[in-house]
Amino acid sequence: MTKAKHYLASVLAGLVGLAATATASAETLRLLTWGNYAPPELVKKFKQETGIDVQITLSNNEDIISRLRATGGAGFDLAQPSHDRIVGPQADFRIYKPLDLSKVKLQQFTPSLLEAAKASATIAGKVYALPFTWGTLGVLTNNAKAPNVSSIADLCADAHKGKVTMRIRRPALILMAFANGDDPFAAYGEPDKYQGIIDRAGQKLAACKANVKAYWNNSDDLLNMMRSGEVVAAEGWDLHAIKLQEEGMDTGYDKNPLGWIDTFVLPAKGRADEAAYKWVDFVMRPENAALIMQSSGNMTASVGAQDFASEKLRKSLERIYSPQAIAHVRWFPPIPAGLEQREGKILDRIAAQ
C-alpha cells in the first residue's frame, strides 16, 4: 500500500470511529409523562449536562397503561403513572421492570413519600416505583362565605344549596364514603363490603345534586366559579386551593384529603435505563424540582425544593399545608381489578338522574 493510500485508509477509519462514537453517545430518553412535568428549560439543561435528548409524550394514567400494554412495555424508557396504578397493571400485563435503587440518589427524596411509594409499588421484594410529584384531593372553601365546611358531606347542607361544585368521579365517591364514617380503602379486598360502602356514598351524592351549581370538568371551570362567588365550596384539588390563596382569597382546605403520588417507573422493554436514572437524579435536584413544582402546580418529593420556589408559592403552600399535614393524607391504595367498574356503574346512575 502506498503512503497516500495508507493515509487515506487511516482517515476513513478515523471518521468511521468518530461516527460510531457519536451514534453511541447520542442517547435519547423516551419519556411518557403528564403535562408540565418536563419544562423546556429543564430538558435543555439536561441535554447540556448529559448530552441526552428527551423525547416527550404527554399522557395520563389510563393512556400510560394502554400504551405499555399494547407494546408489552416497549416504546418508552421512563413512565410516570400514579402510585396506585402499578401493582395491578404489573400483575395483569407485566409492563414494568424493577428499579435498581443503587443507581439513584435516594437522599434527594422526602423519606415519608419515598416509603409511601415503595409500600404501594413493591412486588416480591422488588421496588417498581419512586415518588416524583404528589398532591391531594379534598374540599376547598371560601372561608368568608363557607367557614364551617370540613368535608364533602357539608357541601350537601341546605345552607349551600346551589352554591357548590364537584365532579361525578371516583374521588367524590371515596370522599363521601369517608364522610359517612366508612373506610373504603380498608374494604378494597372485600368486594361485597366495598359495594355496600360505595352504594351508600352514591346515594348521598345523588341526594346532593340539588346543591350543585354545576359539575366542573376542568380547573378553569372550578376556579372561575369560586372567583365569581357563584360557588362557595368545592370538591377539588389542593392546587386549586393554592391558586386561589395566591390570588388573595382566604381559602380553606380539607384536613384529611385523599393523596396521590406520580412516580418514576421503568417500562419492561425500555432500552435506555441509564438515561432514565440520570433524568430521575436530575429532576429531583431541589433547584430543578422547584421549576417543576412551579410549572405543574404540584408538590414535589424532592427534599429542599420549596426553598427554591417563589416566595408567593412558598407562602401559599404554608397556608394550605402545615408541617404535619402530610401525616393526615389518606393515600390511595393500589386499585384491585374490577373495582373501578363497580364505581363506574354508580357514578353513571348519578349522572343520569
Side-chain angles (χ1 to χ4, degrees), residues 30 32 63-79 93-97 266-271:
R30 299 166 301 165
L32 187 60
D63 184 62
I64 289 171
I65 294 167
S66 177
R67 284 175 180 269
L68 295 179
R69 179 185 180 185
T71 62
F76 298 94
D77 307 302
L78 188 65
F93 312 123
R94 305 295 179 188
I95 54 177
Y96 309 127
K97 57 186 169 186
L266 295 178
K269 297 179 182 177
R271 58 180 188 234

Side-chain angles (χ1 to χ4, degrees), residues 101-287:
L101 298 185
S102 71
K103 295 183 179 293
V104 180
K105 296 175 181 175
L106 295 178
Q107 67 272 20
Q108 293 192 133
F109 294 83
T110 301
S112 57
L113 290 166
L114 177 61
E115 291 310 308
K118 288 166 67 175
S120 66
T122 296
I123 304 170
K126 296 180 179 180
V127 176
Y128 281 76
L130 289 170
F132 176 44
T133 61
W134 66 279
T136 62
L137 307 98
V139 173
L140 58 143
T141 60
N142 180 333
N143 281 336
K145 298 180 178 181
N148 299 316
V149 172
S150 61
S151 80
I152 196 170
D154 295 327
L155 301 187
C156 305
D158 290 342
H160 305 308
K161 193 168 184 176
K163 298 179 181 178
V164 305
T165 186
M166 63 177 70
R167 295 173 300 164
I168 307 180
R169 299 282 296 275
R170 74 181 306 260
L173 193 65
I174 299 295
L175 285 166
M176 186 61 81
F178 276 111
N180 283 343
D182 291 318
D183 185 345
F185 293 163
Y188 264 19
E190 303 175 70
D192 291 341
K193 182 177 181 180
Y194 189 77
Q195 188 68 53
I197 289 173
I198 59 175
D199 281 340
R200 290 190 290 274
Q203 291 165 7
K204 289 286 184 70
L205 285 177
C208 195
K209 287 189 76 170
N211 278 33
V212 178
K213 173 72 175 179
Y215 290 103
W216 65 273
N217 293 310
N218 59 63
S219 290
D220 286 340
D221 291 342
L222 184 156
L223 291 171
N224 288 334
M225 284 189 281
M226 290 287 287
R227 289 169 182 141
S228 69
E230 292 177 85
V231 303
V232 298
E235 172 266 324
W237 300 322
D238 51 8
L239 64 87
H240 299 134
I242 292 166
K243 177 67 174 174
L244 293 169
Q245 185 69 35
E246 285 183 311
E247 293 175 3
M249 182 183 291
D250 179 12
T251 310
Y253 187 63
D254 210 311
K255 297 297 188 293
N256 295 283
L258 308 177
W260 56 267
I261 303 171
D262 285 342
T263 68
F264 300 103
V265 301
L266 295 178
K269 297 179 182 177
R271 58 180 188 234
D273 289 0
E274 294 303 318
Y277 289 125
K278 287 177 181 178
W279 176 258
V280 171
D281 282 342
F282 174 80
V283 296
M284 293 306 291
R285 281 169 19 198
E287 68 274 18

